[in-house]
Amino acid sequence: MTSDENGSPSSADSVRVRTLVNALDEYRQARERLLAVLGHSSNRDPLAEVAEHLVAALMGGKLAVNRVQKAWDVELPDGVKAQVKYLANAPGSAVWVNEHRVRRIDDVDWYVLVLVEAFTVVGVLAFPMNLAPIAAALGKRHPDQERKIEFTRANWLTIRSDSRRFRTLGMRVWLPPFEQESCRTRDQDD
């Protein structure tokens, strides 16, 4: 077997290598544009950055000065704090590859989960400190429901289809479109 000057076998797929490097360059340029919109540069996951900025805008809060501090990411004008996470999955699958453990965090008032499918935000869910009523409404059977919810696609579909019910349990639910009146929720128009 022969090899090139770098020791790669002559059978190396140069077209694939070029395609990968070019795709990474396109991604880098798009990421730089996104970071410019966010107002800073970062090596953090861009979905985490977008999620935090989106939640701050939806809830009328401001981002934590220390972008990697423990426990909370957004502080509301009244001092209420929110932890922001995102959950990304492919669209249209019967089950999600990625699921999420929503959890109560001491000294944090809201646990906010930004749901992303195919790089599109499909919903934003803010969970209050007491998770038990929400877990019960979702039919959860796992232990410690006051402090955690094992969140699945079926749970998302249930909340999305009956967001008003979950709001009465203390949740805040935002559904697209997230346009001009970003703090409004879709069923407020009902």
Side-chain angles (χ1 to χ4, degrees):
M1 179 183 342
T2 61
S3 56
D4 67 13
E5 69 265 13
N6 295 316
S8 297
S10 57
S11 62
D13 187 344
S14 62
V15 172
R16 178 76 174 144
V17 169
R18 199 170 28 256
T19 300
L20 289 168
V21 170
N22 289 341
L24 180 61
D25 188 54
E26 290 174 23
Y27 170 77
R28 179 191 53 76
Q29 293 172 36
R31 187 174 191 280
E32 287 172 354
R33 285 191 302 274
L34 176 63
L35 290 171
V37 169
L38 297 176
H40 60 87
S41 63
S42 172
N43 286 322
R44 291 181 64 218
D45 178 351
L47 286 177
E49 293 282 353
V50 169
E52 291 172 9
H53 280 263
L54 178 61
V55 169
L58 287 169
M59 297 183 87
K62 62 181 181 181
L63 295 169
V65 174
N66 180 351
R67 306 295 298 123
V68 292
Q69 75 178 23
K70 186 177 179 177
W72 62 274
D73 301 302
V74 174
E75 184 174 18
L76 305 185
D78 59 1
V80 167
K81 294 185 173 53
Q83 170 68 32
V84 180
K85 298 290 184 180
Y86 76 90
L87 176 60
N89 279 289
S93 57
V95 294
W96 282 341
V97 173
N98 301 308
E99 294 182 344
H100 188 82
R101 176 176 287 164
V102 174
R103 60 191 176 91
R104 185 170 73 203
I105 300 171
D106 293 335
D107 301 320
V108 174
D109 305 282
W110 292 100
Y111 188 99
V112 186
L113 186 60
V114 177
L115 300 169
V116 178
E117 290 183 350
F119 287 93
T120 301
V121 177
V122 296
V124 179
L125 307 175
F127 294 85
M129 289 182 68
N130 184 8
L131 298 173
I134 297 157
L138 292 171
K140 293 302 202 177
R141 291 184 258 170
H142 59 72
D144 199 19
Q145 294 181 12
E146 303 80 32
R147 296 192 60 83
K148 69 181 179 182
I149 294 175
E150 302 296 335
F151 194 78
T152 66
R153 181 174 188 270
N155 300 149
W156 160 235
L157 296 176
T158 299
I159 292 170
R160 185 181 71 185
S161 69
D162 195 3
S163 59
R164 185 170 298 206
R165 174 180 171 214
F166 287 89
R167 283 188 188 95
T168 65
L169 298 174
M171 287 187 70
R172 296 181 74 182
V173 179
W174 291 271
L175 303 171
F178 306 104
E179 293 169 354
Q180 188 127 25
E181 299 177 42
S182 63
C183 291
R184 254 182 45 200
T185 55
R186 185 187 333 164
D187 70 6
Q188 286 177 322
D189 294 333
D190 294 348

